[in-house]
Amino acid sequence: MKAIVFREGSQWAVEDVPTPEPGPGEVRLQILRTGVCGTDEHLLHGGFIATLPLIPGHEMLGRVDAIGDGVDSRLLGSTVAVDNTIHCGECEPCLSGRHLFCENFVSLGCNAPGGFAEYTVVRAAKTFVVDDLDPVASTFAEPTACAMHGADVLALRPASDVLIFGAGPTGLILAQLLKASGAARVVVAAPTASKLELAESLGVDVTVQVDRTDPTGAEAELRALAPRGFDAVVEATGSISVLESAVRLTATGGTVLVYGLAAEDARAAISPYEIFSRELTLKGSFAQAFTMRRAIDVLRSGAVRTDGIITDTVGFDDFGRALANLHDSSQIKTVFVP
Ligand SMILES: [Zn+2]
Ligand SMILES: [Zn+2]
């Protein structure tokens, strides 16, 4: 079969690789669509938890075309979204019920083969049938599950005033999810006007355009919207200056959620005194964990909408554009279709 393969030295190519066969408890998926994510670029450069060479692609939607021993044959032919995580169940964190921190954590598409390929093999128990759901919405099952975990970590108080930095796929999904989770107001701040318009059409209350050359102007505008700060501020860009701004814009007693993926060696200047004296809480959220079912339910309900978020579709021949799109501010989400 054909697959995209990331190799050492930030190299990638379309390669012919053996078509995988499902083992006991596994199913083989014929990939229908796999979302391209900013994480993929970090992986290309050996960042995050990359194990190279790698077939990337962690936001998979596929049709079950073969099953291994012990798998219910009714799954054959179903369209499924995939929880791409595997926890060993035997390490100390797993045995303490903290599977997300599994010491042998496997994330298909990050440190094991994923979905930028014609076929992939996943555990049957980690598939979620979405035959009834629109394929566009289904493509967002995994990123919505990640956002759901972020919402769980944030644990908003009802009627909170929330600011989200970033209007990428994650920011747009989190904004809707937090609105549906009882936020009184959700403000989204980002540089690109078209993304902010989309945010408004998806139900975001207020949007603020950030001028990349003068971010302090946006901070003043946000300060004017919430003079005492926001109860919760979500950093969904991975930018250091944005995180620093997020801390300043968080209300006393409030929470900052670090959701964006920054470089591993990046450092931010944050005042310990401010965290101490204003009793700020800093939280992180890095992956989805046991949230796929709820993610699919919230997509099915329409409380989280995805129309307008996919801005480009690529295949094997033009996969390079998927990576280029990650740097094109007019693009939001690219989907790979083999
Ligand atoms: Zn992702
Ligand atoms: Zn484990």
Side-chain angles (χ1 to χ4, degrees):
M1 68 165 186
K2 284 205 286 188
I4 304 289
V5 180
F6 286 0
R7 293 192 173 275
E8 291 292 343
S10 304
Q11 302 294 311
W12 68 271
V14 181
E15 299 187 9
D16 270 312
V17 301
T19 303
E21 292 297 331
E26 294 179 335
V27 299
R28 184 171 66 200
L29 303 184
Q30 180 190 7
I31 294 292
L32 300 174
R33 310 154 68 88
T34 299
V36 180
C37 168
T39 301
D40 295 317
E41 179 160 61
H42 287 268
L43 294 168
L44 174 62
H45 302 303
F48 193 40
I49 55 173
T51 302
L52 301 174
L54 171 73
I55 299 174
H58 55 274
E59 303 176 0
M60 299 173 268
L61 183 71
R63 183 174 295 116
V64 177
D65 95 312
I67 59 172
D69 286 346
V71 175
D72 188 336
S73 60
R74 285 173 298 184
L75 260 184
L76 270 172
S78 296
T79 298
V80 297
V82 180
D83 173 349
N84 67 314
T85 62
I86 301 172
H87 312 101
C88 77
E90 295 178 358
C91 68
E92 201 284 326
C94 279
L95 291 171
S96 306
R98 295 158 65 86
H99 295 75
L100 182 58
F101 310 122
C102 173
E103 290 167 358
N104 306 300
F105 183 64
V106 174
S107 174
L108 303 178
C110 298
N111 59 359
F116 293 147
E118 290 179 278
Y119 297 91
T120 196
V121 161
V122 303
R123 297 198 170 180
K126 295 265 182 159
T127 62
F128 296 81
V129 176
V130 287
D131 284 328
D132 65 316
L133 190 59
D134 167 62
V136 170
S138 302
T139 310
F140 287 92
E142 197 276 346
T144 302
C146 288
M148 185 72 74
H149 178 67
D152 285 348
V153 168
L154 186 55
L156 272 193
R157 293 170 71 194
S160 289
D161 196 17
V162 179
L163 167 62
I164 298 175
F165 280 105
T170 287
L172 293 170
I173 291 170
L174 255 176
Q176 297 177 77
L177 204 49
L178 296 181
K179 189 77 191 162
S181 307
R185 177 173 70 164
V186 174
V187 177
V188 169
T192 311
S194 58
K195 293 183 186 178
L196 296 176
E197 277 166 30
L198 179 60
E200 283 174 15
S201 79
L202 293 173
V204 166
D205 300 294
V206 182
T207 60
V208 171
Q209 192 168 10
V210 178
D211 180 350
R212 279 206 177 91
T213 61
D214 176 29
T216 51
E219 187 166 329
E221 198 176 330
L222 291 164
R223 175 70 63 196
L225 280 173
R228 288 191 178 80
F230 293 85
D231 299 313
V233 181
V234 180
E235 196 301 288
T237 71
S239 152
I240 302 310
S241 62
V242 168
L243 175 62
E244 292 168 350
S245 184
V247 172
R248 291 191 291 269
L249 287 165
T250 301
T252 295
T255 303
V256 179
L257 177 67
V258 179
Y259 194 97
L261 175 54
E264 218 170 313
D265 57 356
R267 295 290 180 271
I270 291 169
S271 156
Y273 180 78
E274 200 175 357
I275 294 171
F276 162 81
S277 62
R278 301 209 295 112
E279 295 210 347
L280 301 181
T281 302
L282 286 178
K283 290 180 169 179
S285 171
F286 93 102
Q288 48 92 11
F290 311 111
T291 45
M292 282 294 284
R293 177 74 62 203
R294 284 190 295 144
I296 291 165
D297 284 348
V298 82
L299 288 164
R300 192 177 273 131
S301 75
V304 169
R305 282 158 46 210
T306 56
D307 28 308
I309 300 182
I310 293 174
T311 45
D312 199 5
T313 300
V314 300
F316 286 110
D317 295 340
D318 48 4
F319 185 78
R321 204 171 69 240
L323 297 170
N325 284 347
L326 294 169
H327 297 276
D328 178 345
S329 62
S330 70
Q331 294 287 335
I332 309 179
K333 186 78 171 176
T334 304
V335 172
F336 166 82
V337 178

